[in-house]
Short mmCIF file of all heavy atoms in Angstrom, two decimals:
data_model
loop_
_atom_site.label_atom_id
_atom_site.label_comp_id
_atom_site.label_asym_id
_atom_site.label_seq_id
_atom_site.Cartn_x
_atom_site.Cartn_y
_atom_site.Cartn_z
N PHE A 1 144.59 -1.62 131.64
CA PHE A 1 145.97 -1.50 131.35
C PHE A 1 146.23 -1.32 129.85
O PHE A 1 145.48 -1.83 129.05
CB PHE A 1 146.74 -2.70 131.85
CG PHE A 1 146.74 -2.76 133.36
CD1 PHE A 1 145.79 -3.43 134.04
CD2 PHE A 1 147.72 -2.11 134.07
CE1 PHE A 1 145.74 -3.49 135.41
CE2 PHE A 1 147.74 -2.11 135.47
CZ PHE A 1 146.75 -2.83 136.13
N LEU A 2 147.24 -0.54 129.53
CA LEU A 2 147.55 -0.29 128.10
C LEU A 2 148.13 -1.52 127.45
O LEU A 2 149.03 -2.15 128.01
CB LEU A 2 148.53 0.85 128.00
CG LEU A 2 147.98 2.23 128.39
CD1 LEU A 2 149.10 3.25 128.49
CD2 LEU A 2 146.99 2.69 127.41
N THR A 3 147.57 -1.88 126.31
CA THR A 3 148.11 -2.98 125.53
C THR A 3 148.77 -2.50 124.24
O THR A 3 149.44 -3.27 123.58
CB THR A 3 146.99 -4.01 125.18
OG1 THR A 3 145.98 -3.30 124.41
CG2 THR A 3 146.40 -4.62 126.44
N TYR A 4 148.51 -1.22 123.91
CA TYR A 4 149.02 -0.67 122.69
C TYR A 4 149.12 0.86 122.80
O TYR A 4 148.27 1.47 123.47
CB TYR A 4 148.07 -1.05 121.50
CG TYR A 4 148.41 -0.31 120.23
CD1 TYR A 4 149.48 -0.69 119.41
CD2 TYR A 4 147.61 0.76 119.80
CE1 TYR A 4 149.75 -0.07 118.24
CE2 TYR A 4 147.87 1.39 118.62
CZ TYR A 4 148.93 0.97 117.82
OH TYR A 4 149.23 1.60 116.66
N LEU A 5 150.14 1.46 122.24
CA LEU A 5 150.26 2.93 122.23
C LEU A 5 150.52 3.27 120.79
O LEU A 5 151.45 2.93 120.19
CB LEU A 5 151.40 3.36 123.13
CG LEU A 5 151.44 4.82 123.49
CD1 LEU A 5 150.25 5.17 124.40
CD2 LEU A 5 152.73 5.17 124.20
N SER A 6 149.54 4.05 120.23
CA SER A 6 149.64 4.37 118.81
C SER A 6 150.81 5.35 118.59
O SER A 6 151.16 6.08 119.52
CB SER A 6 148.34 5.02 118.32
OG SER A 6 148.16 6.32 118.87
N PRO A 7 151.32 5.43 117.39
CA PRO A 7 152.38 6.36 117.09
C PRO A 7 152.01 7.81 117.40
O PRO A 7 152.90 8.58 117.89
CB PRO A 7 152.63 6.15 115.59
CG PRO A 7 152.21 4.73 115.38
CD PRO A 7 151.06 4.54 116.23
N ILE A 8 150.76 8.22 117.19
CA ILE A 8 150.39 9.62 117.47
C ILE A 8 150.40 9.87 118.95
O ILE A 8 150.82 10.97 119.41
CB ILE A 8 149.00 9.96 116.81
CG1 ILE A 8 148.75 11.47 116.90
CG2 ILE A 8 147.89 9.22 117.46
CD1 ILE A 8 149.70 12.31 116.10
N ILE A 9 150.00 8.88 119.76
CA ILE A 9 150.03 9.09 121.23
C ILE A 9 151.46 9.07 121.71
O ILE A 9 151.82 9.80 122.67
CB ILE A 9 149.16 8.05 121.96
CG1 ILE A 9 147.65 8.14 121.49
CG2 ILE A 9 149.24 8.19 123.45
CD1 ILE A 9 147.03 9.49 121.80
N GLU A 10 152.32 8.27 121.06
CA GLU A 10 153.73 8.34 121.41
C GLU A 10 154.25 9.74 121.19
O GLU A 10 154.98 10.29 122.06
CB GLU A 10 154.55 7.36 120.60
CG GLU A 10 154.41 5.91 121.01
CD GLU A 10 155.28 4.99 120.23
OE1 GLU A 10 155.81 5.32 119.17
OE2 GLU A 10 155.46 3.85 120.67
N LYS A 11 153.89 10.37 120.05
CA LYS A 11 154.38 11.72 119.75
C LYS A 11 153.81 12.70 120.75
O LYS A 11 154.47 13.61 121.24
CB LYS A 11 153.99 12.15 118.36
CG LYS A 11 154.83 11.47 117.28
CD LYS A 11 154.44 11.94 115.93
CE LYS A 11 155.28 11.26 114.87
NZ LYS A 11 154.96 11.67 113.49
N LEU A 12 152.50 12.57 121.03
CA LEU A 12 151.80 13.55 121.95
C LEU A 12 152.30 13.41 123.37
O LEU A 12 152.44 14.42 124.14
CB LEU A 12 150.33 13.36 121.90
CG LEU A 12 149.62 13.81 120.67
CD1 LEU A 12 148.15 13.43 120.74
CD2 LEU A 12 149.77 15.35 120.52
N SER A 13 152.60 12.20 123.84
CA SER A 13 152.94 11.95 125.24
C SER A 13 154.45 11.93 125.49
O SER A 13 154.88 12.16 126.63
CB SER A 13 152.37 10.63 125.69
OG SER A 13 153.06 9.53 125.12
N GLY A 14 155.25 11.70 124.49
CA GLY A 14 156.69 11.61 124.69
C GLY A 14 157.11 10.23 125.23
O GLY A 14 158.28 9.96 125.38
N TYR A 15 156.12 9.37 125.49
CA TYR A 15 156.44 7.98 125.92
C TYR A 15 156.59 7.04 124.72
O TYR A 15 155.88 7.27 123.71
CB TYR A 15 155.37 7.45 126.82
CG TYR A 15 155.33 8.07 128.17
CD1 TYR A 15 154.31 8.99 128.54
CD2 TYR A 15 156.23 7.74 129.16
CE1 TYR A 15 154.23 9.53 129.76
CE2 TYR A 15 156.18 8.31 130.44
CZ TYR A 15 155.19 9.19 130.70
OH TYR A 15 155.10 9.78 131.94
N THR A 16 157.34 6.03 124.84
CA THR A 16 157.36 4.98 123.85
C THR A 16 156.45 3.85 124.32
O THR A 16 156.11 3.80 125.53
CB THR A 16 158.80 4.40 123.66
OG1 THR A 16 159.19 3.76 124.89
CG2 THR A 16 159.81 5.46 123.28
N SER A 17 156.06 3.00 123.43
CA SER A 17 155.22 1.85 123.78
C SER A 17 155.89 1.04 124.93
O SER A 17 155.22 0.58 125.78
CB SER A 17 154.98 0.98 122.57
OG SER A 17 154.12 1.63 121.67
N ASP A 18 157.19 0.82 124.77
CA ASP A 18 157.91 0.04 125.77
C ASP A 18 157.83 0.63 127.17
O ASP A 18 157.85 -0.11 128.16
CB ASP A 18 159.40 -0.10 125.41
CG ASP A 18 159.62 -0.97 124.14
OD1 ASP A 18 158.70 -1.76 123.84
OD2 ASP A 18 160.65 -0.82 123.52
N GLU A 19 157.69 1.92 127.26
CA GLU A 19 157.61 2.58 128.58
C GLU A 19 156.21 2.46 129.25
O GLU A 19 156.18 2.52 130.49
CB GLU A 19 157.99 4.07 128.48
CG GLU A 19 159.41 4.33 128.11
CD GLU A 19 159.68 5.77 127.88
OE1 GLU A 19 159.15 6.36 126.89
OE2 GLU A 19 160.40 6.37 128.71
N VAL A 20 155.17 2.33 128.46
CA VAL A 20 153.83 2.35 129.11
C VAL A 20 152.97 1.12 128.87
O VAL A 20 152.02 0.94 129.58
CB VAL A 20 153.09 3.62 128.72
CG1 VAL A 20 153.76 4.87 129.25
CG2 VAL A 20 152.87 3.78 127.23
N VAL A 21 153.24 0.33 127.86
CA VAL A 21 152.41 -0.87 127.62
C VAL A 21 152.56 -1.76 128.85
O VAL A 21 153.64 -2.00 129.37
CB VAL A 21 152.83 -1.59 126.34
CG1 VAL A 21 152.21 -2.98 126.29
CG2 VAL A 21 152.40 -0.80 125.10
N GLY A 22 151.37 -2.21 129.32
CA GLY A 22 151.32 -3.02 130.55
C GLY A 22 151.04 -2.20 131.78
O GLY A 22 150.75 -2.75 132.85
N GLN A 23 151.03 -0.87 131.66
CA GLN A 23 150.77 0.01 132.80
C GLN A 23 149.33 0.55 132.69
O GLN A 23 148.71 0.51 131.59
CB GLN A 23 151.78 1.17 132.85
CG GLN A 23 153.18 0.62 133.07
CD GLN A 23 154.11 1.69 133.46
OE1 GLN A 23 153.74 2.73 134.04
NE2 GLN A 23 155.37 1.48 133.19
N HIS A 24 148.85 1.05 133.74
CA HIS A 24 147.46 1.61 133.76
C HIS A 24 147.40 2.82 132.88
O HIS A 24 148.34 3.64 132.82
CB HIS A 24 147.05 1.98 135.19
CG HIS A 24 145.59 2.20 135.33
ND1 HIS A 24 144.99 3.41 135.17
CD2 HIS A 24 144.57 1.33 135.62
CE1 HIS A 24 143.73 3.31 135.32
NE2 HIS A 24 143.43 2.05 135.59
N PHE A 25 146.30 2.98 132.11
CA PHE A 25 146.18 4.10 131.17
C PHE A 25 146.22 5.43 131.87
O PHE A 25 146.47 6.48 131.25
CB PHE A 25 144.90 3.95 130.34
CG PHE A 25 143.61 4.16 131.07
CD1 PHE A 25 143.03 5.37 131.17
CD2 PHE A 25 142.96 3.10 131.67
CE1 PHE A 25 141.86 5.55 131.85
CE2 PHE A 25 141.78 3.22 132.36
CZ PHE A 25 141.22 4.48 132.45
N SER A 26 146.00 5.51 133.16
CA SER A 26 146.05 6.80 133.87
C SER A 26 147.41 7.41 133.82
O SER A 26 147.59 8.58 134.13
CB SER A 26 145.60 6.59 135.33
OG SER A 26 146.50 5.73 136.01
N ARG A 27 148.42 6.65 133.43
CA ARG A 27 149.78 7.17 133.31
C ARG A 27 149.88 8.28 132.30
O ARG A 27 150.67 9.20 132.39
CB ARG A 27 150.73 6.05 132.94
CG ARG A 27 152.15 6.47 132.63
CD ARG A 27 153.13 5.84 133.51
NE ARG A 27 154.46 6.33 133.29
CZ ARG A 27 155.55 5.59 133.12
NH1 ARG A 27 155.44 4.30 133.12
NH2 ARG A 27 156.72 6.17 132.91
N VAL A 28 149.00 8.22 131.26
CA VAL A 28 149.05 9.21 130.19
C VAL A 28 147.82 10.13 130.16
O VAL A 28 147.66 10.91 129.19
CB VAL A 28 149.32 8.57 128.81
CG1 VAL A 28 150.65 7.93 128.77
CG2 VAL A 28 148.24 7.61 128.45
N ILE A 29 146.91 10.01 131.11
CA ILE A 29 145.72 10.82 131.15
C ILE A 29 145.77 11.72 132.40
O ILE A 29 146.09 11.24 133.51
CB ILE A 29 144.41 9.95 131.23
CG1 ILE A 29 144.40 8.94 130.09
CG2 ILE A 29 143.17 10.84 131.22
CD1 ILE A 29 144.37 9.50 128.72
N HIS A 30 145.44 12.98 132.28
CA HIS A 30 145.50 13.89 133.40
C HIS A 30 144.49 13.40 134.49
O HIS A 30 143.35 13.00 134.15
CB HIS A 30 145.11 15.30 132.95
CG HIS A 30 145.38 16.34 134.00
ND1 HIS A 30 144.55 16.60 135.03
CD2 HIS A 30 146.47 17.16 134.09
CE1 HIS A 30 145.06 17.54 135.78
NE2 HIS A 30 146.25 17.90 135.22
N THR A 31 144.91 13.41 135.72
CA THR A 31 144.11 12.89 136.82
C THR A 31 142.73 13.52 136.98
O THR A 31 141.77 12.87 137.29
CB THR A 31 144.85 13.02 138.18
OG1 THR A 31 145.20 14.38 138.39
CG2 THR A 31 146.10 12.16 138.22
N GLU A 32 142.60 14.81 136.62
CA GLU A 32 141.33 15.49 136.71
C GLU A 32 140.37 14.98 135.62
O GLU A 32 139.19 15.10 135.78
CB GLU A 32 141.49 17.01 136.60
CG GLU A 32 142.17 17.61 137.82
CD GLU A 32 142.37 19.12 137.69
OE1 GLU A 32 141.82 19.73 136.70
OE2 GLU A 32 143.09 19.66 138.53
N ASP A 33 140.88 14.42 134.54
CA ASP A 33 140.08 13.97 133.45
C ASP A 33 139.65 12.50 133.59
O ASP A 33 138.77 11.99 132.84
CB ASP A 33 140.77 14.19 132.10
CG ASP A 33 140.98 15.61 131.77
OD1 ASP A 33 140.18 16.44 132.28
OD2 ASP A 33 141.89 15.92 131.02
N LEU A 34 140.32 11.76 134.48
CA LEU A 34 140.05 10.33 134.61
C LEU A 34 138.60 10.00 134.92
O LEU A 34 138.07 9.11 134.28
CB LEU A 34 140.97 9.71 135.66
CG LEU A 34 142.39 9.44 135.16
CD1 LEU A 34 143.28 9.02 136.34
CD2 LEU A 34 142.38 8.42 134.06
N PRO A 35 137.94 10.62 135.90
CA PRO A 35 136.53 10.22 136.25
C PRO A 35 135.62 10.35 135.06
O PRO A 35 134.81 9.46 134.78
CB PRO A 35 136.18 11.12 137.42
CG PRO A 35 137.46 11.51 138.05
CD PRO A 35 138.42 11.61 136.89
N GLY A 36 135.72 11.50 134.37
CA GLY A 36 134.84 11.71 133.22
C GLY A 36 135.16 10.76 132.07
O GLY A 36 134.26 10.28 131.40
N LEU A 37 136.40 10.47 131.84
CA LEU A 37 136.79 9.51 130.81
C LEU A 37 136.35 8.11 131.09
O LEU A 37 135.76 7.45 130.24
CB LEU A 37 138.36 9.53 130.59
CG LEU A 37 138.89 8.66 129.51
CD1 LEU A 37 138.31 9.05 128.14
CD2 LEU A 37 140.38 8.68 129.50
N VAL A 38 136.46 7.69 132.35
CA VAL A 38 135.96 6.36 132.72
C VAL A 38 134.48 6.27 132.57
O VAL A 38 133.92 5.34 132.03
CB VAL A 38 136.42 6.03 134.17
CG1 VAL A 38 135.69 4.77 134.67
CG2 VAL A 38 137.92 5.79 134.23
N ALA A 39 133.74 7.31 132.99
CA ALA A 39 132.29 7.35 132.89
C ALA A 39 131.88 7.35 131.38
O ALA A 39 130.93 6.62 131.01
CB ALA A 39 131.72 8.58 133.57
N SER A 40 132.58 8.07 130.54
CA SER A 40 132.31 8.10 129.12
C SER A 40 132.54 6.74 128.51
O SER A 40 131.75 6.28 127.68
CB SER A 40 133.16 9.18 128.45
OG SER A 40 132.91 9.15 127.04
N PHE A 41 133.63 6.10 128.92
CA PHE A 41 133.92 4.76 128.39
C PHE A 41 132.81 3.75 128.82
O PHE A 41 132.39 2.94 128.02
CB PHE A 41 135.26 4.31 128.94
CG PHE A 41 135.62 2.88 128.46
CD1 PHE A 41 135.99 2.63 127.17
CD2 PHE A 41 135.60 1.85 129.39
CE1 PHE A 41 136.32 1.38 126.76
CE2 PHE A 41 135.92 0.58 128.98
CZ PHE A 41 136.32 0.37 127.68
N GLN A 42 132.38 3.82 130.06
CA GLN A 42 131.32 2.95 130.55
C GLN A 42 130.06 3.13 129.75
O GLN A 42 129.36 2.18 129.39
CB GLN A 42 131.12 3.13 132.06
CG GLN A 42 132.23 2.61 132.86
CD GLN A 42 132.14 2.95 134.34
OE1 GLN A 42 131.52 3.94 134.70
NE2 GLN A 42 132.76 2.15 135.19
N ARG A 43 129.71 4.43 129.50
CA ARG A 43 128.53 4.72 128.68
C ARG A 43 128.66 4.18 127.26
O ARG A 43 127.70 3.61 126.70
CB ARG A 43 128.20 6.17 128.69
CG ARG A 43 127.64 6.69 130.00
CD ARG A 43 127.11 8.11 129.86
NE ARG A 43 128.14 9.09 129.48
CZ ARG A 43 128.97 9.72 130.33
NH1 ARG A 43 128.92 9.46 131.60
NH2 ARG A 43 129.84 10.57 129.89
N SER A 44 129.83 4.26 126.72
CA SER A 44 130.07 3.78 125.36
C SER A 44 129.92 2.23 125.32
O SER A 44 129.48 1.69 124.30
CB SER A 44 131.42 4.18 124.78
OG SER A 44 132.48 3.51 125.47
N MET A 45 130.30 1.60 126.39
CA MET A 45 130.16 0.10 126.44
C MET A 45 128.67 -0.29 126.47
O MET A 45 128.28 -1.43 126.18
CB MET A 45 130.85 -0.46 127.65
CG MET A 45 132.36 -0.28 127.64
SD MET A 45 133.14 -1.01 126.21
CE MET A 45 132.96 -2.74 126.63
N GLN A 46 127.81 0.70 126.85
CA GLN A 46 126.35 0.42 126.86
C GLN A 46 125.71 1.00 125.56
O GLN A 46 124.48 1.04 125.44
CB GLN A 46 125.71 1.11 128.07
CG GLN A 46 126.20 0.57 129.38
CD GLN A 46 125.80 1.34 130.56
OE1 GLN A 46 125.20 2.41 130.42
NE2 GLN A 46 126.05 0.81 131.76
N GLY A 47 126.51 1.39 124.60
CA GLY A 47 126.00 1.83 123.31
C GLY A 47 125.79 3.34 123.17
O GLY A 47 125.36 3.81 122.16
N GLU A 48 126.12 4.11 124.21
CA GLU A 48 125.98 5.56 124.18
C GLU A 48 127.33 6.16 123.72
O GLU A 48 128.18 6.46 124.55
CB GLU A 48 125.61 6.09 125.55
CG GLU A 48 124.30 5.62 126.05
CD GLU A 48 123.98 6.13 127.45
OE1 GLU A 48 124.30 7.33 127.76
OE2 GLU A 48 123.53 5.31 128.28
N ILE A 49 127.46 6.36 122.46
CA ILE A 49 128.70 6.92 121.93
C ILE A 49 128.63 8.43 121.96
O ILE A 49 127.71 9.02 121.45
CB ILE A 49 128.99 6.41 120.49
CG1 ILE A 49 128.86 4.89 120.37
CG2 ILE A 49 130.30 6.95 119.94
CD1 ILE A 49 129.86 4.16 121.24
N GLU A 50 129.62 9.04 122.56
CA GLU A 50 129.70 10.52 122.68
C GLU A 50 131.14 10.92 122.66
O GLU A 50 132.01 10.18 123.19
CB GLU A 50 128.97 11.00 123.93
CG GLU A 50 129.60 10.48 125.20
CD GLU A 50 128.92 10.96 126.46
OE1 GLU A 50 127.71 11.03 126.45
OE2 GLU A 50 129.62 11.24 127.44
N PRO A 51 131.47 12.05 122.14
CA PRO A 51 132.84 12.54 122.19
C PRO A 51 133.19 12.96 123.66
O PRO A 51 132.32 13.41 124.41
CB PRO A 51 132.88 13.72 121.25
CG PRO A 51 131.43 14.16 121.14
CD PRO A 51 130.55 12.96 121.42
N TYR A 52 134.45 12.77 123.97
CA TYR A 52 134.92 13.22 125.33
C TYR A 52 136.31 13.73 125.11
O TYR A 52 137.19 13.06 124.63
CB TYR A 52 134.90 12.06 126.29
CG TYR A 52 135.23 12.53 127.71
CD1 TYR A 52 134.31 13.19 128.52
CD2 TYR A 52 136.53 12.39 128.20
CE1 TYR A 52 134.63 13.59 129.78
CE2 TYR A 52 136.89 12.88 129.44
CZ TYR A 52 135.91 13.47 130.22
OH TYR A 52 136.26 13.95 131.47
N GLU A 53 136.52 14.98 125.55
CA GLU A 53 137.83 15.60 125.44
C GLU A 53 138.59 15.44 126.74
O GLU A 53 138.05 15.65 127.84
CB GLU A 53 137.64 17.09 125.14
CG GLU A 53 138.93 17.77 124.78
CD GLU A 53 138.71 19.19 124.28
OE1 GLU A 53 137.77 19.42 123.51
OE2 GLU A 53 139.44 20.04 124.69
N PHE A 54 139.88 15.05 126.66
CA PHE A 54 140.68 14.83 127.83
C PHE A 54 142.13 15.23 127.55
O PHE A 54 142.53 15.35 126.38
CB PHE A 54 140.59 13.40 128.37
CG PHE A 54 141.00 12.38 127.36
CD1 PHE A 54 142.29 11.94 127.27
CD2 PHE A 54 140.04 11.84 126.48
CE1 PHE A 54 142.69 10.97 126.30
CE2 PHE A 54 140.44 10.92 125.54
CZ PHE A 54 141.73 10.47 125.46
N CYS A 55 142.85 15.42 128.57
CA CYS A 55 144.25 15.85 128.46
C CYS A 55 145.18 14.66 128.51
O CYS A 55 145.09 13.83 129.39
CB CYS A 55 144.59 16.84 129.63
SG CYS A 55 146.34 17.30 129.67
N ILE A 56 146.09 14.57 127.54
CA ILE A 56 147.13 13.57 127.54
C ILE A 56 148.39 14.22 128.23
O ILE A 56 148.77 15.35 127.85
CB ILE A 56 147.50 13.15 126.09
CG1 ILE A 56 146.35 12.45 125.49
CG2 ILE A 56 148.73 12.27 126.11
CD1 ILE A 56 146.48 12.11 124.02
N VAL A 57 148.88 13.55 129.18
CA VAL A 57 150.01 14.05 129.95
C VAL A 57 151.31 13.67 129.30
O VAL A 57 151.56 12.51 129.10
CB VAL A 57 149.99 13.59 131.41
CG1 VAL A 57 151.21 14.11 132.17
CG2 VAL A 57 148.72 14.00 132.12
N HIS A 58 152.10 14.68 128.94
CA HIS A 58 153.39 14.45 128.26
C HIS A 58 154.37 13.90 129.35
O HIS A 58 154.22 14.19 130.57
CB HIS A 58 153.88 15.74 127.68
CG HIS A 58 155.13 15.56 126.85
ND1 HIS A 58 156.36 15.57 127.33
CD2 HIS A 58 155.19 15.31 125.53
CE1 HIS A 58 157.21 15.40 126.35
NE2 HIS A 58 156.51 15.23 125.22
N LYS A 59 155.35 13.22 128.91
CA LYS A 59 156.39 12.67 129.81
C LYS A 59 157.02 13.78 130.65
O LYS A 59 157.37 13.56 131.79
CB LYS A 59 157.44 11.98 128.94
CG LYS A 59 158.42 11.19 129.67
CD LYS A 59 159.32 10.44 128.69
CE LYS A 59 160.32 9.55 129.37
NZ LYS A 59 161.13 8.80 128.42
N SER A 60 157.06 14.98 130.14
CA SER A 60 157.65 16.13 130.85
C SER A 60 156.69 16.62 131.95
O SER A 60 157.10 17.45 132.79
CB SER A 60 157.93 17.26 129.89
OG SER A 60 156.72 17.82 129.41
N GLY A 61 155.43 16.15 131.89
CA GLY A 61 154.46 16.61 132.92
C GLY A 61 153.47 17.63 132.38
O GLY A 61 152.44 17.93 133.05
N SER A 62 153.73 18.16 131.19
CA SER A 62 152.77 19.15 130.63
C SER A 62 151.56 18.42 130.05
O SER A 62 151.60 17.21 129.76
CB SER A 62 153.46 19.99 129.54
OG SER A 62 153.92 19.13 128.49
N CYS A 63 150.48 19.15 129.91
CA CYS A 63 149.26 18.64 129.40
C CYS A 63 149.07 19.01 127.95
O CYS A 63 149.20 20.16 127.55
CB CYS A 63 148.08 19.22 130.23
SG CYS A 63 146.48 18.48 129.91
N MET A 64 148.78 17.99 127.15
CA MET A 64 148.66 18.19 125.66
C MET A 64 147.20 18.16 125.29
O MET A 64 146.44 17.33 125.68
CB MET A 64 149.41 17.13 124.90
CG MET A 64 150.86 16.95 125.34
SD MET A 64 151.89 18.40 125.19
CE MET A 64 152.13 18.50 123.48
#
């Protein structure tokens, strides 16, 4: 769950922190990108740091 939304993600997503903090991060990540993002995060928790590109979903529904 989201505990913080940076100002840049607020600008990119159109959401304010108040609208999404406490909600699942999938609210602002495109559904097709979620499996890869979760897998990348799990690998990073094991020390395998790698870049991963994903789509941030704007409040309007568009992909940024």
Side-chain angles (χ1 to χ4, degrees):
F1 292 91
L2 292 169
T3 58
Y4 171 77
L5 196 67
S6 71
I8 190 67
I9 299 300
E10 285 185 344
K11 286 182 181 181
L12 289 173
S13 70
Y15 288 105
T16 65
S17 290
D18 290 339
E19 292 175 293
V20 295
V21 166
Q23 297 195 26
H24 196 269
F25 68 91
S26 63
R27 173 121 184 230
V28 295
I29 307 297
H30 193 278
T31 55
E32 291 178 10
D33 294 334
L34 280 172
L37 182 60
V38 169
S40 177
F41 178 73
Q42 288 171 335
R43 286 191 300 275
S44 71
M45 296 301 289
Q46 298 171 353
E48 298 178 40
I49 308 299
E50 62 181 37
Y52 185 81
E53 189 172 316
F54 57 92
C55 175
I56 295 173
V57 178
H58 190 272
K59 191 174 182 176
S60 69
S62 63
C63 189
M64 308 302 284

